[in-house]
Amino acid sequence: MLRSLGQRPVTGSYEDPRVAELRTAVSRLRRELAALPSEFPDRAIAEDELAALAAMATGGSPEIPRLRNSLLLIAGAIGSVSALARGLSGVREAVDLFGEPTQWG
């Protein structure tokens, strides 16, 4: 992806490909949501949770339970908006890359 934008990765840096995929999927859904002309009751919730996911992806090591919670809130907020179904699926698939949360104890 970096090469397609004319950029090169920084030597010696490592980015978890799951985080990169999450960032891409969240960005795509945020753009789709912003382009949607219609208002719906839970739009602000979806926007807030997408912002939270973007911040987690920027931080580099997101907490899996928080990822899943945000995904559920976003799905509940925009689940009935068919124009966003593909973008929502992309975010779900990106979150699924992180696997199940680890249970200790």
Side-chain angles (χ1 to χ4, degrees), residues 6 9 12 30 57 61 64 67 73 78-79 92 95 98:
R30 288 178 91 180
S61 183
I64 296 170
L67 286 176
L73 290 170
I78 65 174
R92 182 193 53 80
V95 169
F98 289 89

Side-chain angles (χ1 to χ4, degrees), residues 2-40:
L2 291 174
R3 289 191 180 110
S4 68
L5 297 175
Q7 299 174 343
R8 295 185 180 167
V10 177
T11 303
S13 70
Y14 171 76
E15 180 179 41
D16 185 334
R18 300 173 303 170
V19 173
E21 183 65 29
L22 177 64
R23 188 173 35 255
T24 299
V26 167
S27 178
R28 185 176 304 123
L29 183 54
R30 288 178 91 180
R31 284 191 311 271
E32 290 173 6
L33 181 59
L36 192 69
S38 63
E39 289 297 321
F40 51 94

